[in-house]
Amino acid sequence: MTRLFNDPSAFSDEMIEGFAAASARWVTAVPGGVVRSTRAPEDTVALVIGGGSGHYPAFGGLVGPGIAHGAAMGNLFASPSTQQVYAVAKTADQGMGVLLSYGNYAGDVLNFTEAQERLRSEGHDVRTVLVTDDIWSAPAERRHERRGIAGDLAVFKVAGAAAEAGASLDEVERLAIKANERTRSFGVAFGGCTFPGADEPLFTVPEGRMAVGLGIHGEPGIDEVDVPTADELAALFVEKLLDEVPDGVEVDGARVVPLLNGLGSVKYEELFVVYRAVHRLLGERGIVVVDPDVGELCTSLDMAGCSLTLVWLDDELEELWSAPADTPGYSKGSVAPQERVEVVVEGVEEAAIPEASDASKAVARTIGTAFVEMAEAIDEAADELGRLDAIAGDGDHGIGMQRGVHAGRDAAVAAVDAGAGAETTLRRAADAWGDRAGGTSGVIWATMLRAVAAALGDEARVTRTEVAAGVDAARDAVTSFGKAKVGDKTMIDAIVPFADELRDRVAAGDSLVDAWSHAAGVAEEAAQETAALAATLGRAKSHGERSIGTPDPGAVSFALICTTVSDVLAQTLEEDAS
């Protein structure tokens, strides 16, 4: 259980603030995460890593000479937002290019990719290498779909060492890809982790049983077996990992780095007992062990579990793995002297509120009221949304929705108070929601709100036609940049029927209140019908069968917001008519 916290919703922010204060020798806090507080004599490629909080020393704890130049740090178990990644990478860039590297999770891919495109549009040379080391999350023929877990460290260490040595961006990218291709991990758990303020862990394992194939975001394991002895667990780790040796590698005589990783509450002493057998078993197969690491390398809050990673070396990977590094959470050897620098973060000036018509300002006031009501509705539903998400995912959907809708509410109300029209109010709410929520749902909601905003404008009178067109545009925007389709058990299962019903009702001549009300009912029905589906995308895809019987939390929260807005529209238009 996570025992020490203040406001649970502020836990990540306060953790990052304290981490930066305690680690000032290595890092400086910037909007979105941390960057190095020192600089080498010569400019180098910048390695920027990142992901959700709750995994220390990943990700901020790996920033320093020899590894990363910056880390974008999201909410607990939630991807950093596009703005966070953008700000950290732009600050870290020394003019030699940026390599982004992170675990292969849907929210991270969406947000890092958007940040990459934004940076490229400004002239930065940016590349990406995903980490896909978890052998249990997808079969070998679909390695590109696998999750990144403790193997992150190996990829980051190799890429960081190459950058430190002065390699070009092309070369750093090549070596990071090579490290990922030669890294395999496999994990187990004896109990789930608990979010700050939560009464129950994200998942439980029956007494005497062990979950097999877990992730690092509180996802339950993919299988269960009896709890083994330490030697039996070591044998399981080695057997599974040796079943999948990288192409072109001969096991006998191979040089391998074993990383035995504790996930949060398995003690070092226990890990050493397991490693004793791992080391022996590898040796019996003719494998030469090189510079192993045992300890907490990529955690999951207080999860009781561990994982084994094998990094299959060649000469250049071994040299880079063995190179010095000095970060708050990981060190090796002795690094060259670094110069302490004053980090300059380019300020982002908020644009002035553009002129708006009185009619558009009136719509903006309705939008502001809707956001206030939406925040209250999500607050009431947050625990249930988290519970639904924990069935097959990481349980953070309620918290993420709260952070996003609260930020959107505050931005919308501030815009209305400043005299903004409908488009500006929604755009500011969208930016705040996406930046604060992070994760997959954060970028999806920001995209939808921006699409609706563009259809409403700040000057013209807003009619039901513009609203329906904006919702259509929101649906198209989300389905175009994501991989999801109806039937995949995602928000799309509620978004598409809602948009279609609203358009059809408006075209048939219904009032906006009636059309929206009917469409909200369709979205609610569609959201509940996702209970019959198996998840095929996102973190829940590894537990697709487990998700059957539970509606998708993203679809449920979308339908809830549609219903809340329906009530606001009915009340507002009724008042206008009186």
Side-chain angles (χ1 to χ4, degrees):
M1 177 175 286
T2 303
R3 298 175 177 84
L4 301 177
F5 55 88
N6 299 307
D7 177 356
S9 66
F11 184 84
S12 294
D13 295 333
E14 294 179 348
M15 178 276 295
I16 294 170
E17 181 182 351
F19 162 68
S23 307
R25 180 162 74 85
W26 297 277
V27 304
T28 296
V30 296
V34 295
V35 297
R36 288 190 194 179
S37 58
T38 62
R39 192 154 180 166
E42 301 293 331
D43 290 339
T44 68
V45 169
L47 172 65
V48 174
I49 61 177
S53 297
H55 305 301
Y56 192 84
F59 294 89
L62 300 178
V63 174
I67 308 186
H69 296 75
M73 303 168 69
N75 302 326
L76 286 176
F77 295 174
S79 150
S81 69
T82 299
Q83 177 60 31
Q84 287 178 296
V85 178
Y86 168 83
V88 171
K90 188 168 184 177
T91 303
D93 190 1
Q94 300 178 12
M96 306 297 289
V98 176
L99 179 70
L100 303 176
S101 190
Y102 51 92
N104 184 27
Y105 298 91
D108 295 280
V109 172
L110 287 173
N111 283 291
F112 274 84
T113 300
E114 282 208 11
Q116 174 176 265
E117 294 310 309
R118 184 175 170 188
L119 289 162
R120 285 177 172 174
S121 72
E122 296 177 0
H124 299 265
D125 192 354
V126 185
R127 317 283 177 82
T128 291
V129 174
L130 297 178
V131 182
T132 56
D133 59 303
D134 180 11
I135 67 168
W136 211 248
S137 57
E141 61 270 20
R142 302 204 320 269
R143 281 196 61 230
H144 63 283
E145 297 179 11
R146 287 177 170 175
R147 306 178 292 203
I149 52 175
D152 282 352
L153 175 62
V155 178
F156 300 163
K157 176 67 178 66
V158 166
E164 206 76 25
S168 67
L169 181 56
D170 285 344
E171 187 70 355
V172 174
E173 179 187 28
R174 179 187 71 81
L175 289 163
I177 292 171
K178 183 178 186 179
N180 181 61
E181 290 175 344
R182 297 173 72 98
T183 298
R184 306 283 190 276
S185 299
F186 176 65
V188 301
F190 312 101
C193 58
T194 307
F195 275 170
D199 296 325
E200 301 291 336
L202 291 179
F203 71 91
T204 58
V205 181
E207 187 70 26
R209 301 282 284 176
M210 177 179 75
V212 175
L214 76 156
I216 58 169
H217 297 93
E219 309 98 322
I222 298 169
D223 196 4
E224 275 184 13
V225 299
D226 289 338
V227 173
T229 65
D231 283 1
E232 289 168 344
L233 177 57
L236 175 67
F237 277 152
V238 172
E239 174 190 348
K240 295 297 184 185
L241 291 174
L242 293 190
D243 278 346
E244 193 182 309
V245 177
D247 293 340
V249 173
E250 292 290 336
V251 172
D252 190 13
R255 300 175 67 79
V256 167
V257 175
L259 307 175
L260 185 59
N261 173 57
L263 280 154
S265 64
V266 173
K267 300 298 294 181
Y268 274 68
E269 289 85 351
E270 296 174 273
L271 294 174
F272 288 133
V273 173
V274 175
Y275 182 74
R276 159 188 166 274
V278 168
H279 193 94
R280 173 177 54 79
L281 290 169
L282 292 175
E284 288 174 357
R285 295 295 300 272
I287 294 170
V288 179
V289 171
V290 177
D291 203 6
D293 272 309
V294 178
E296 293 186 347
L297 308 172
C298 184
T299 59
S300 184
L301 286 177
D302 61 330
M303 184 185 287
C306 55
S307 63
L308 179 66
T309 298
L310 296 183
V311 187
W312 299 82
L313 301 173
D314 62 8
D315 289 344
E316 62 180 351
L317 291 182
E318 182 169 350
E319 180 180 356
L320 294 167
W321 174 257
S322 302
D326 181 28
T327 75
Y330 187 85
S331 62
K332 186 187 292 289
S334 178
V335 302
Q338 304 282 310
E339 178 186 359
R340 189 69 180 265
V341 295
E342 188 72 28
V343 176
V344 177
V345 181
E346 293 186 26
V348 179
E349 294 185 7
E350 194 167 53
I353 298 288
E355 290 294 323
S357 67
D358 289 341
S360 188
K361 289 179 182 179
V363 174
R365 287 193 291 273
T366 301
I367 291 170
T369 300
F371 267 95
V372 171
E373 297 300 319
M374 286 157 52
E376 290 186 6
I378 292 296
D379 283 346
E380 292 178 5
D383 288 345
E384 176 63 8
L385 293 173
R387 185 192 70 79
L388 294 175
D389 193 33
I391 300 297
D394 54 18
D396 71 339
H397 186 67
I399 292 175
M401 286 295 294
Q402 278 186 298
R403 292 173 71 110
V405 75
H406 284 200
R409 174 201 62 195
D410 294 347
V413 170
V416 170
D417 290 344
E423 178 176 5
T424 298
T425 297
L426 266 182
R427 282 194 182 279
R428 295 203 169 188
D431 292 344
W433 187 316
D435 186 33
R436 189 65 175 154
T440 305
S441 69
V443 71
I444 288 176
W445 274 102
T447 299
M448 290 194 296
L449 293 173
R450 290 187 191 111
V452 175
L456 301 187
D458 277 331
E459 298 178 0
R461 177 174 172 269
V462 176
T463 69
R464 62 190 178 182
T465 303
E466 282 78 35
V467 174
V471 173
D472 263 353
R475 176 203 58 207
D476 293 344
V478 172
T479 54
S480 66
F481 77 69
K483 300 177 182 178
K485 59 185 183 300
V486 173
D488 285 334
K489 194 163 188 167
T490 68
M491 288 173 67
I492 296 296
D493 290 299
I495 293 170
V496 169
F498 173 79
D500 291 348
E501 182 72 10
L502 182 66
R503 180 197 60 223
D504 292 346
R505 289 277 179 172
V506 166
D510 283 11
S511 68
L512 178 59
V513 171
D514 288 343
W516 193 287
S517 177
H518 281 290
V522 169
E524 172 61 28
E525 184 178 347
Q528 294 304 315
E529 288 176 349
T530 62
L533 303 174
T536 61
L537 293 175
R539 292 177 188 167
K541 70 182 179 183
S542 299
H543 311 278
E545 295 304 315
R546 189 191 297 264
S547 72
I548 295 175
T550 303
D552 177 70
V556 170
S557 61
F558 176 83
L560 174 60
I561 284 178
C562 291
T563 300
T564 303
V565 173
S566 179
D567 293 341
V568 171
L569 289 174
Q571 181 178 354
T572 301
L573 295 186
E574 180 181 306
E575 290 173 352
D576 289 347
S578 63

